[in-house]
Each structure stands twice: as C-alpha cells, then as structure tokens.
Amino acid sequence: MRWQREDNQVQDLPGAVPEALERPKATAVPEHVAIIMDGNGRWAEARGLPRVAGHRAGMKAVREVTVAADDLGIRVLTLYAFSTENWKRPRDEVDFLMALPQEFLLTELKELIDKNVRVRLIGDPEALPAHTRKAVDEAIRVTSENTGLILNFALNYGGRMELVRAVRALAEAVRDGRIDPAAIDEQAVANALYTRDLPDPDLLIRTSGELRLSNFMLWQLAYTELWFSDKLWPDFRREDLFAAVEDFRRRDRRYGGLR
Ligand code: V0D
C-alpha cells in the first residue's frame, strides 16, 4: 500500500516512517486496481452500431484509464480483456477481439511507452491465435524495461482455470518430492498463480451495472473493495476512475479484524 497526502502528492515509502502516516487524515491510494470492462457491446447496440464498434471504443477507454491510473500513482492496473468463456461468442466477434492487441500496439502503445508503462499478461496465451500472441508478446517485449505502471491484461483468463493450474502444479511438486503437502499454505497457493509477483487488487471496478465477479481473480479478490458503475465501459472516463478511488479512500478496510 502507498499513501497519498491530502495535497495529492504521491510519495514512495522507503524504510523510514513516512510523513503521510503521521498526518491524521492521510489516506491510501490503491496499489492495484482491477477492472471488469463490461458494456462494450451494449454501448454499440444503443447507437445502432455493430457490437465490435463498442470493443474498439472500449480500447480508447483503456488508454485513457491507464493514463489516469498512472497519474494517480497506482502501480498495477489489471484489465479483464477476454475471459475463458468469451470463446462462446460469435466467431466474427471473437476474430475481431483477437485483432485488438495488434491494433492497440499500433495506436495506443506509443503514448504508454512514453509514460513508462509495462504491459503484462495473466491467462493462458497458448489458445490465442498466433497473430494475437505475436502482438501481445511484442507489447510485453517493447515495454519490458519500463519501470512505471504495470498494465496487466487478463487474456483468455478464468479464475477457476487459474486455480486448477495451481492445484495441478502443486500436485506435481508433491509427486516429485519438491514440496511436503503439509507445507502447502496460502503463500504456496498464491505462488502458483499468474499473479505470484503482484499484490492482490485493493479495488475492483465493474462497469455496466452488473453485480457479479464472472470468474475473475477468485483467489486474489478475497479482501478487495468492490465498486460498481452503471456506465458502459466505452463511456468510462478518467473522472470515473478518480471517483472510484476517492470512494475507496473513504472506506475503512479491516481485513476481518476490528483493528
Ligand atoms: C475489448 C474493452 C486492449 C474490453 C477493451 C483480445 C474488450 C478493448 C487489448 C490488449 C480488448 C490486450 C493485450 C495486449 C494489448 C492490448 C485487448 C482484447 C480485447 C482481447 F498486449 N483492449 N483489448 N484485448 N478490448
């Protein structure tokens, strides 16, 4: 967790007791924000456009919200771009979606590189078409030395699938004598997930008025604050992210204890 002073100056915490902690009204900025970007198809249909027009408009919102997250000092932004269930959509729509990483690379990534953003992925890239994987790999590669905001795309991601993979990896480790079953604790499970080196999300945003997790980051969201917006994702602006973070900063997180 990082702390933001009331004057909005974000500062890093070295070892010493930071000034912010001594200020009575200092409040936390979420370190990791995750977003379920829902409502792209509905946005297009409401305008008499094909659903895919909504996906393209949604990509513009990705760029704006990424810049806004960076401006706030958020460290990790995880975006649910394509779920393991999305393969059931019409073939044409899936094909269109699979072309978006390349389009993103060409149209949006330059600005993000200038902003020191690092692209990463959670999910199973194996099942993606070769051209999609190539574009994603390229986005990861050209930003791999960047040290700023981590823009983490969940692509062919499913929370249960992620847990199944983790269980399988741990079972294999037991079988091979690399781990004692009694040594399998929460940390061991967390280490077997895609997010092994990322903090859990502090804040989850879902747009479009739906109040479900839809198989997103099931393990990681255990203590996450949830924030729902009726706005459709292509209409989501930097001010909407600010509003969600403002709200988050007012909440009192107890993690099950009473403090
Ligand atoms: C559609 C709204 C960026 C939600 C945003 C393949 C759904 C636009 C990417 C992207 C999608 C992913 C990886 C990467 C670079 C860009 C993306 C998909 C869908 C599914 F390295 N937007 N975006 N990927 N949408």
Side-chain angles (χ1 to χ4, degrees), residues 38-190:
D38 204 2
N40 301 290
R42 225 188 298 162
W43 181 92
E45 280 158 11
R47 284 164 178 72
L49 298 168
R51 284 175 58 80
V52 295
H55 297 317
R56 181 169 284 133
M59 204 169 65
K60 300 248 175 267
V62 166
R63 196 233 298 125
E64 176 164 338
V65 169
T66 302
V67 170
D70 182 52
D71 291 345
L72 283 174
I74 289 165
R75 312 276 208 136
V76 186
L77 179 65
T78 296
L79 301 177
Y80 206 176
F82 194 86
S83 78
T84 49
E85 286 75 39
N86 286 158
W87 296 108
K88 297 178 203 145
R89 293 187 178 180
R91 173 74 195 268
D92 285 0
E93 187 175 340
V94 170
D95 286 350
F96 183 92
L97 286 165
M98 288 301 146
L100 287 181
Q102 187 175 12
E103 193 170 323
F104 186 86
L105 196 66
L106 293 171
T107 62
E108 317 295 335
L109 198 62
K110 192 181 182 317
E111 180 184 1
L112 300 182
I113 290 170
D114 291 341
K115 293 201 171 280
N116 199 23
V117 169
R118 178 157 45 130
V119 173
R120 289 186 39 174
L121 196 75
I122 59 173
D124 179 12
E126 295 293 313
L128 300 174
H131 69 279
T132 307
R133 213 180 333 162
K134 206 165 153 241
V136 171
D137 287 346
E138 177 79 355
I140 292 170
R141 188 181 63 77
V142 301
T143 61
S144 63
E145 306 279 283
N146 289 352
T147 55
L149 174 76
I150 294 174
L151 175 56
N152 186 32
F153 284 104
L155 239 176
N156 193 25
Y157 173 87
R160 289 185 176 179
M161 180 204 74
E162 180 184 34
L163 285 164
V164 167
R165 276 179 82 256
V167 168
R168 192 179 295 142
L170 289 165
E172 286 171 356
V174 168
R175 180 197 62 197
D176 300 344
R178 286 180 280 118
I179 189 168
D180 179 348
I184 298 178
D185 54 9
E186 290 191 14
Q187 196 53 56
V189 174

